[in-house]
Amino acid sequence: MIPDPNFGWTGTVGEVILGATRSEGGTRSRSYRIGGGTTLPFMEKDTAARPPLIAFEICDDPRYWSPIVNEYCGDLIHDPAAWAKTAETAYGADLVRLCLTSTKQRDFSDIATLGKTTESVLTGTALPLIIEGSNEPKIDSEVFQKCGETGQGERLLLGTAEAGRYRSIAAAALAYNHAIIAQSPIDINLAKQLNILLKEIGISRDHIVIDPYTGALGYGFEYTYSAMERIRFSALKGDTDLAMPMICAPSDSLTIKEVREADAGSRDAMAVEWEFTTSLAAAVAGAEIVCVRHPLTVKRLKEAFYGLNTRTGGA
Amino acid sequence: MPLKALDIYKLLPRKNCKECGDPTCLTFAMKLAAGKADIELCPYLDENAKSVLGATTRPPIRRVKLGVGERSFAVGEEFVLYRHDKTFYHPPGIMFVVSDTQSEEEITAITARVRDETLTRVGADLKFNGTAIVNTSGTIEAYAKAVAAVEKTAGLPEVLVSENPAALAAALVLCGSYHPTICAATPENYKQICALAKQYACRLVVRASTLEALVQLAKDCVAEGVPDILLDPGAKTLGDFLYRSTAVRQLAITRAVPDLGYPVYLDATTFEDEDAAIALGIVKYASVIVAKPLSPASAKAALTLRQNIYTDPQKPIQMNPGIYRVGTPGKDAPVLMTVNFSLTYFTLQGYLESTRIPCFMLIVDTEGLSVLTSVAAGKLNESLVRDAIKKFGVEGEVNHRKLIIPGYAAPLSGRIEEATGWKVLVGPRDAAEIGEYLVQEWKP
């Protein structure tokens, strides 16, 4: 008899709930419970384990978005609600991530419109929502307060808390019961430190998703890959300050040289290949949510995750 | 568990005869413990010592070399499950499939592509590694012709994919002296296939869909005199491959099942999304990956992922410190300071090139650490910047005294100004924003 590989894990990855259905006090068509892993990704004894979720990213100001995606999605990019709906019905995403790129404008102050946009996206799609907040620390507090309030009851995932910049987002998450993304610059110790800071101000572990920061394939991805592996097995070894699910956003993939400079005929293929390869490898390292921007990446990842979750025999 | 040098020393004759090439039995024992010597070098070992040492001093995964000459490559000899525990040593060879039902022109073109195609990234030339010639026709003549066409084009490592011993024999007449790999031995055909593999000293892929059957087959083939084995875990799904390949690696490196101590072979062509299988093979321990000729996008992604995963995590790739030009900068061109971590350099350089603004990059010696890490560690400091400006003659290159520093180095800006007398401008954290920054902020 060949034994099963024995890693001697003692811990599990903690769980986080995203989205809320009517019976849970929200208006989403479904909610997700992510985390709960007891071994390396896709190695669970029970192959009915949940596959990673795919979030499709949209934005409220396409001037700050990838021209490749803008061209592919056409007029949708000017209507976040319709774009979100398309992500759900046509692209097949599990989640929508709304990036508030309008806050990148100099001296941005139109907080009311952010609330309206959030509201329209929540109406446009019934999927659970991730909101990627302000690009300017000075307005963090108003932005997160507004989005948090607008999404009250929906169990949003709010991004992104960093070591020097987490109080505003934490306050909104606490006030309206949302989860938050905690990002550190590809460093397991800094990831742990940030989780401890968040714990100290009252954010419970089941409301944190770790973003170890994703360097694009060919531009630092090897560091991300190892940071994710290390965070995952720290959790499995029982370190509760790192036992949260992870999110991977290879958004840099669309700005790297190989994709930027691909000729018109192969730009889409190159963009999709880069997002796909990075996301797949990240999922194998432990990411439980992967975020992509090109519609064609979603279906390919779905099928690959399904394949990874299917086994035809024992070991 | 591997033996320690002292345990090994106790099993040696302790004569210090030097016949193994080492000055003493103790130094020989230390080499054995590190997996750097062969017990066969000691002429005085008794059988008991041989059997004890043989199992523990050879690397947990056998080293197998494919092909001959400049494009040959070795796989196996890996020690860890996670790259950051040490490093992964031998990147998987990626082999393109040709079929004996294709025309000679097609076969030649694919082989030439493997021979010539190069992707240069971060100062390294990345290539594909060989061809897998498939006996799709089932006939002997067509197969021999296909192998001849490949042979005529390039001296690359080859995998001969056929379960027909007669076709393999005809192919081996043509390429048998170049250490080709035969694919595959199965429980049904292994005796015949092993006879050929032994005759020509081939490498041999063994295929079975359970680890138990795989171990048995590997043992049988070794007993037939074929020691250079690759394991094909016969995966039908990505999940099968991930699970079995991880199990093979884990059970081999812990020596829980020493007979699984061989490199893993992955035929990606059987998967619906071949790119997914290739990516999975690269991150999860495949040593040879066979694929249909890849599209330009897939080829770039596969070679890049392989380079990433097989970079030694303990040795960041470094640039030589100095002054580098982007375009043809004049006396009023901006000067951007950054670290000598190659990834930082190449990323920033790429974005600077696409801004079309000629400029100077001042690369300072942070021993290959990134901006963030070198600031945190105090490696990047004002005296380093001051000395670099002097050493590389930056004052003679430009007629202004303004230095743009990375966003993450902002805490140093005051101290750099004091130490150098230059005005410091804090650039963006993210290299992607450098173009916009220069357009808005740069006025010489």
Side-chain angles (χ1 to χ4, degrees):
Chain A
M1 257 325 270
I2 304 288
D4 279 328
N6 177 8
F7 301 99
W9 307 126
T10 54
T12 56
V13 178
E15 294 188 325
V16 175
I17 297 171
L18 301 177
T21 59
R22 287 215 180 277
S23 63
E24 295 162 332
T27 61
R28 307 295 84 203
S29 62
R30 61 188 103 159
S31 59
Y32 299 109
R33 182 184 288 268
I34 60 168
T38 61
T39 180
L40 299 175
F42 307 107
M43 295 283 289
E44 300 285 349
K45 266 269 172 267
D46 167 18
T47 50
R50 300 173 284 246
L53 300 173
I54 303 157
F56 185 78
E57 297 191 320
I58 62 175
C59 70
D60 67 344
D61 187 341
R63 284 178 302 172
Y64 302 97
W65 213 241
S66 160
I68 302 173
V69 175
N70 289 352
E71 205 165 302
Y72 188 89
C73 293
D75 287 342
L76 279 176
I77 60 173
H78 302 294
D79 183 351
W83 203 4
K85 189 178 176 58
T86 309
E88 176 181 3
T89 54
Y91 308 158
D94 301 313
L95 296 146
V96 170
R97 187 186 207 195
L98 168 63
C99 299
L100 301 172
T101 47
S102 60
T103 59
K104 288 190 172 211
Q105 297 166 79
R106 285 206 168 189
D107 305 324
F108 176 88
S109 62
D110 189 2
I111 306 294
T113 299
L114 297 181
K116 289 197 189 85
T117 306
T118 303
E119 203 158 337
S120 74
V121 170
L122 280 165
T123 314
T125 177
L127 294 175
L129 193 62
I130 308 173
I131 296 189
E132 190 51 44
S134 132
N135 201 57
E136 172 52 58
K138 284 202 281 288
I139 53 170
D140 275 0
S141 163
E142 296 165 88
V143 172
F144 289 120
Q145 160 68 25
K146 179 52 96 183
C147 296
E149 182 186 30
T150 309
Q152 185 163 12
E154 301 286 10
R155 289 195 74 129
L156 305 173
L157 177 59
L158 298 175
T160 291
E162 299 170 44
R165 196 181 162 188
Y166 61 89
R167 290 187 182 278
S168 306
I169 191 170
L174 284 169
Y176 303 106
N177 193 28
H178 301 305
I180 62 174
I181 297 171
Q183 187 189 79
S184 41
I186 318 191
D187 183 311
I188 184 171
N189 299 317
L190 297 175
K192 181 170 173 160
Q193 219 166 11
L194 178 57
N195 290 340
I196 293 169
L197 286 174
L198 291 168
K199 190 165 68 178
E200 281 170 356
I201 58 166
I203 304 278
S204 59
R205 283 200 300 128
D206 59 3
H207 279 63
I208 296 174
V209 176
I210 299 174
D211 178 359
Y213 188 83
T214 302
L217 178 62
Y219 295 86
F221 179 68
E222 68 271 41
Y223 297 91
T224 299
Y225 181 85
S226 281
M228 283 183 170
E229 277 196 319
R230 293 177 68 190
I231 289 168
R232 174 81 174 207
F233 67 68
S234 296
L236 297 173
K237 282 178 188 160
D239 186 339
T240 52
D241 288 321
L242 286 167
M244 297 86 166
M246 285 183 277
I247 186 169
C248 155
S251 42
D252 294 357
S253 299
L254 301 183
T255 61
I256 58 143
K257 198 168 163 171
E258 285 83 347
V259 174
R260 223 172 41 230
E261 296 178 0
D263 50 59
S266 67
R267 275 197 338 169
D268 282 311
M270 194 65 98
V272 171
E273 198 62 42
W274 230 258
E275 278 194 329
F276 175 75
T277 306
T278 312
S279 301
L280 182 72
V284 169
E288 308 203 30
I289 304 174
V290 294
C291 307
V292 299
R293 296 185 180 186
H294 200 297
L296 294 176
T297 313
V298 180
K299 186 167 169 285
R300 277 189 72 193
L301 278 174
K302 254 218 153 113
E303 283 166 6
F305 292 160
Y306 177 80
L308 278 162
N309 247 5
T310 311
R311 289 213 290 272
T312 60
Chain B
M1 274 308 288
L3 288 179
K4 293 197 170 55
L6 275 177
D7 302 328
I8 295 172
Y9 178 68
K10 286 176 193 150
L11 293 165
L12 296 179
R14 283 173 276 177
K15 305 158 54 132
N16 297 339
C17 69
K18 304 186 180 50
E19 288 179 49
C20 64
D22 265 280
T24 67
C25 287
L26 185 59
T27 52
F28 182 55
M30 285 160 82
K31 272 196 186 164
L32 285 173
K36 286 182 176 154
D38 191 337
I39 52 162
E40 298 298 325
L41 291 169
C42 177
Y44 304 108
L45 278 184
D46 59 41
E47 280 311 308
N48 168 46
K50 262 191 195 162
S51 67
V52 174
L53 290 174
T56 59
T57 56
R58 65 164 184 259
I61 298 172
R62 185 180 172 87
R63 179 174 191 270
V64 177
K65 190 173 157 225
L66 285 84
V68 292
E70 159 189 16
R71 294 291 293 270
S72 67
F73 64 94
V75 291
E77 256 189 330
E78 300 289 350
F79 299 88
V80 294
L81 265 172
Y82 312 109
R83 56 187 290 282
H84 49 266
D85 280 352
K86 198 172 202 168
T87 183
F88 294 165
Y89 291 98
H90 301 289
I94 301 175
M95 326 283 266
F96 283 177
V97 165
V98 298
S99 159
D100 66 0
T101 53
Q102 289 171 304
S103 70
E104 189 170 340
E105 289 72 37
E106 282 174 291
I107 293 174
T108 304
I110 294 167
T111 309
R113 182 183 164 194
V114 175
R115 183 190 64 202
D116 301 335
E117 188 169 314
T118 306
L119 174 65
T120 304
R121 292 197 80 263
V122 199
D125 289 342
L126 312 178
K127 288 179 171 293
F128 293 106
N129 307 78
T131 52
I133 310 153
V134 186
N135 184 200
T136 319
S137 70
T139 69
I140 298 169
E141 297 74 22
Y143 198 50
K145 247 167 90 173
V147 172
V150 170
E151 278 298 327
K152 210 165 64 187
T153 312
L156 297 163
E158 289 156 350
V159 181
L160 304 175
V161 185
S162 173
E163 288 181 14
N164 174 353
L168 287 169
L172 286 166
V173 170
L174 300 164
C175 67
S177 51
Y178 308 128
H179 291 317
T181 302
I182 296 178
C183 176
T186 60
E188 295 74 41
N189 72 3
Y190 81 90
K191 279 208 152 95
Q192 279 174 297
I193 299 276
C194 282
L196 279 172
K198 189 177 172 185
Q199 185 188 341
Y200 289 99
C202 296
R203 288 64 186 112
L204 181 61
V205 177
V206 301
R207 180 184 303 138
S209 57
T210 68
L211 294 190
E212 211 142 350
L214 216 46
V215 165
Q216 190 52 52
L217 194 52
K219 278 187 188 161
D220 291 341
C221 292
V222 172
E224 295 288 326
V226 183
D228 288 316
I229 303 276
L230 297 156
L231 306 175
D232 178 350
K236 290 193 181 65
T237 67
L238 294 174
D240 287 343
F241 182 80
L242 178 102
Y243 193 90
R244 293 172 196 172
S245 181
T246 305
V248 168
R249 171 63 67 94
Q250 206 261 350
L251 296 169
I253 60 171
T254 54
R255 299 185 196 262
V257 185
D259 290 310
L260 284 171
Y262 298 101
V264 167
Y265 176 94
L266 168 62
D267 179 357
T269 62
T270 62
F271 292 84
E272 196 152 341
D273 191 335
E274 204 179 5
D275 295 349
I278 295 168
L280 184 63
I282 290 168
V283 295
K284 286 292 166 181
Y285 323 122
S287 288
V288 174
I289 301 172
V290 168
K292 297 186 199 86
L294 298 174
S295 73
S298 305
K300 271 202 170 105
L303 291 172
T304 304
L305 181 65
R306 183 176 69 176
Q307 181 185 40
N308 273 185
I309 297 296
Y310 280 81
T311 296
D312 185 344
Q314 289 151 66
K315 292 193 208 113
I317 321 171
Q318 301 184 26
M319 296 293 298
N320 285 329
I323 189 112
Y324 290 79
R325 289 171 172 72
V326 180
T328 322
K331 289 276 182 192
D332 58 353
V335 181
L336 298 102
M337 184 275 287
T338 194
V339 297
N340 75 325
F341 176 34
S342 65
L343 191 66
T344 307
Y345 170 84
F346 283 106
T347 306
L348 182 62
Q349 186 210 32
Y351 285 113
L352 286 171
E353 278 175 354
S354 52
T355 65
R356 310 253 183 277
I357 301 170
C359 56
F360 294 98
M361 292 171 75
L362 171 63
I363 304 300
V364 301
D365 188 358
T366 54
E367 295 164 34
L369 295 180
S370 70
V371 176
L372 204 66
T373 327
S374 59
V375 170
K379 278 256 187 301
L380 180 56
N381 56 46
E382 62 277 18
S383 45
L384 184 74
V385 178
R386 181 194 58 213
D387 297 349
I389 289 176
K390 256 200 194 52
K391 185 172 169 189
F392 303 122
V394 188
E395 306 210 325
E397 299 284 359
V398 291
N399 52 20
H400 61 79
R401 293 292 175 263
K402 286 182 189 161
L403 183 70
I404 302 171
I405 67 170
Y408 278 114
L412 301 171
S413 57
R415 278 178 285 161
I416 294 176
E417 285 196 340
E418 275 167 40
T420 61
W422 285 50
K423 180 168 174 37
V424 169
L425 309 171
V426 178
R429 287 176 167 197
D430 184 344
E433 291 164 20
I434 195 71
E436 200 184 338
Y437 173 88
L438 288 175
V439 168
Q440 287 179 350
E441 310 286 341
W442 176 251
K443 298 166 192 72

